[in-house]
Amino acid sequence: MIQLSHIEKTYDSPSGPVKALKGIDLTIERGEIFGIIGLSGAGKSTLIRCINMLERPTAGKVIVDGQDMTVMSEKELRKARKNIGMIFQHFNLLSSATVYDNIAFPLRLSHTPEAEIKKKVLPLLELVGLADKAHQYPSQLSGGQKQRVGIARALASEPKVLLCDEATSALDPQTTRSILELIQDINRKLSLTVVVITHEMQVIKDICDKVAVIENGVIAEQGTVLEVFTNPQKPITKDFISVLLSNELPAAFRGGEVSKEPLPGAYLLLRLTFIGESADDPVLAGMIRKFPEIEVTMLFGNLDQIKSTPFGRMIIGITGPEAKIQEAIQYLRQQDLKEEVIGYVRRHDTASV
Ligand SMILES: Nc1ncnc2c1ncn2[C@@H]1O[C@H](COP(=O)(O)OP(=O)(O)OP(=O)(O)O)[C@@H](O)[C@H]1O
């Protein structure tokens, strides 16, 4: 549906050229929700704005629904952009127009007759849950309601693609959840392809099918959200995920030396990830029964969901005879989970965990 090939973007600035994008290749399939995550200044806004040519790439091709956007005239672009709706962090509503008129705005720009506008705007008001607010002004609405107007306006020209530029960054967590649910709902109901840019992994985890991590104008890593979450490769991806999972060790294990070799009196720490059905599996109970010589201590545990797939993370500490510890690790490797050896760590204190 959207294909970005070797996209580069260099801005001219008083202090010299700024290379915001340095050769981006991305393919976004029809009907999927694709997340792009990165730190401030990574190039997210530039990238999403290249999709509808609000920014012209310095080099590369942007193909949307089979059409090469980079070779179009302004007139052709105006037509092609009707296929691509966009919502923004600060909503960008007309403050002097009612909710109805804000949603009608793009239709009036394209000279749609008023009767037809009404036929389109009323169902959109229903869809976004604002049927009773048609005659209110943006100043009378909450942030979440303003974004609902933004979404309805973006959908007015019946686009095939919806671009969301930090659409929930100005909203509180509960409102964020309701807007994300609405985006998911319209993705399903209208078979819309959705591109979400964000600096929050929670947003990616809640609604995206695939994710690309952007760092300094290049794609650091991409894949399905499940793949990237359960097997992150790059430090930046691990940082984004660890913020979300907050899988910190108990204080007694933090900050000490982590050794790859056994240390006398140390615990071997393992990070376990359970995906799907195995999230409910009593693997640990089985291991403890099979290896009574080792002692297993749970240091962190968390059960969550990626879209509708259960996803559990755990950190355990194992002590006991080294040979039995290694056998227990082999046992875990045969189970339906991912295990990662963190290393041998000594406790700082003598209090129980
Ligand atoms: N109009 C511009 N002129 C010059 N430099 C720009 C311009 N717009 C963006 N940049 C620079 O391009 C780089 C990428 O910016 P961009 O806004 O795309 O990043 P971002 O990931 O969206 O960041 P944020 O989350 O802070 O919005 C930054 O170094 C930024 O300073």
Side-chain angles (χ1 to χ4, degrees):
M1 180 73 198
I2 301 173
Q3 200 163 8
L4 306 178
S5 312
H6 315 306
I7 299 294
E8 293 177 18
K9 175 71 188 182
T10 304
Y11 292 106
D12 289 324
S13 82
S15 50
V18 178
K19 281 194 153 200
L21 301 176
K22 303 170 190 165
I24 300 270
D25 291 298
L26 272 187
T27 301
I28 300 174
E29 306 290 349
R30 192 178 299 275
E32 75 187 1
I33 306 187
F34 195 102
I36 298 170
I37 187 165
L39 298 172
S40 180
K44 306 180 294 295
S45 292
T46 304
L47 182 60
I48 204 166
R49 291 162 65 86
C50 282
I51 296 177
N52 59 2
M53 292 286 126
L54 284 180
E55 289 297 351
R56 256 184 195 281
T58 315
K61 264 187 191 308
V62 177
I63 313 280
V64 179
D65 202 16
Q67 292 186 296
D68 185 349
M69 306 283 285
T70 49
V71 297
M72 288 184 184
S73 65
E74 270 309 312
K75 191 171 168 213
E76 288 169 323
L77 267 183
R78 271 198 298 279
K79 190 157 169 255
R81 282 194 191 114
K82 288 190 186 158
N83 252 337
I84 311 174
M86 188 163 186
I87 57 173
F88 306 88
Q89 179 175 1
H90 297 296
F91 324 122
N92 297 7
L93 302 180
L94 298 169
S95 56
S96 57
T98 62
V99 165
Y100 182 100
D101 289 336
N102 265 286
I103 300 171
F105 183 72
L107 299 171
R108 290 196 176 123
L109 273 187
S110 59
H111 309 291
T112 310
E114 282 301 320
E116 205 175 309
I117 289 180
K118 196 170 174 185
K119 270 199 221 145
K120 289 191 172 182
V121 174
L122 296 182
L124 282 171
L125 281 165
E126 288 284 346
L127 180 70
V128 301
L130 292 180
D132 57 338
K133 301 271 187 270
H135 303 297
Q136 302 216 341
Y137 287 86
S139 60
Q140 299 169 293
L141 303 178
S142 69
Q145 289 167 335
K146 284 182 199 166
Q147 193 56 288
R148 285 169 187 270
V149 180
I151 291 171
R153 179 185 56 187
L155 297 179
S157 49
E158 297 174 19
K160 294 182 179 156
V161 175
L162 179 66
L163 306 178
C164 308
D165 187 352
E166 296 279 6
T168 54
S169 298
L171 305 175
D172 62 65
Q174 202 180 337
T175 312
T176 292
R177 261 197 303 282
S178 76
I179 293 296
L180 293 178
E181 274 167 23
L182 176 60
I183 291 173
Q184 243 184 328
D185 190 40
I186 56 184
N187 158 260
R188 286 195 211 108
K189 279 189 185 146
L190 310 177
S191 307
L192 209 63
T193 305
V194 180
V195 184
V196 169
I197 68 164
T198 181
H199 60 277
E200 292 173 300
M201 206 61 177
Q202 182 77 39
V203 170
I204 303 282
K205 183 175 84 67
D206 284 350
I207 64 164
C208 295
D209 302 299
K210 292 200 190 129
V211 60
V213 183
I214 183 170
E215 187 177 29
N216 296 325
V218 296
I219 302 291
E221 182 163 357
Q222 62 171 312
T224 67
V225 174
L226 206 56
E227 278 162 13
V228 171
F229 249 78
T230 53
N231 197 14
Q233 301 294 315
K234 297 284 169 64
I236 181 162
T237 316
K238 291 180 183 172
D239 282 352
F240 275 124
I241 292 171
S242 70
V243 167
L244 187 60
L245 297 170
S246 63
N247 55 349
E248 283 188 276
L249 293 170
F253 286 92
R254 261 181 253 152
E257 183 198 355
V258 179
S259 166
K260 289 289 164 204
E261 301 301 327
L263 297 172
Y267 286 71
L268 177 60
L269 302 195
L270 295 177
R271 182 180 283 116
L272 308 178
T273 307
F274 304 80
I275 304 161
E277 300 284 296
S278 76
D280 301 325
D281 236 23
V283 171
L284 276 190
M287 182 177 85
I288 292 164
R289 262 201 312 278
K290 202 165 163 58
F291 303 99
E293 307 86 348
I294 60 170
E295 187 191 314
V296 178
T297 308
M298 167 98 109
L299 302 176
F300 169 84
N302 161 297
L303 187 60
D304 206 340
Q305 288 204 329
I306 293 177
K307 288 194 100 181
S308 53
T309 306
F311 170 67
R313 303 251 298 181
M314 212 182 263
I315 296 179
I316 58 170
I318 310 180
T319 53
E322 184 55 28
K324 289 291 168 193
I325 292 180
Q326 292 306 325
E327 279 180 39
I329 293 175
Q330 286 309 323
Y331 170 81
L332 286 177
R333 289 199 173 128
Q334 289 155 11
Q335 309 303 314
D336 188 15
L337 54 81
K338 279 173 54 63
E339 51 70 40
E340 178 195 344
V341 174
I342 299 174
Y344 294 84
V345 180
R346 283 204 184 97
R347 301 179 53 116
H348 308 313
D349 61 13
T350 51
S352 59
V353 180

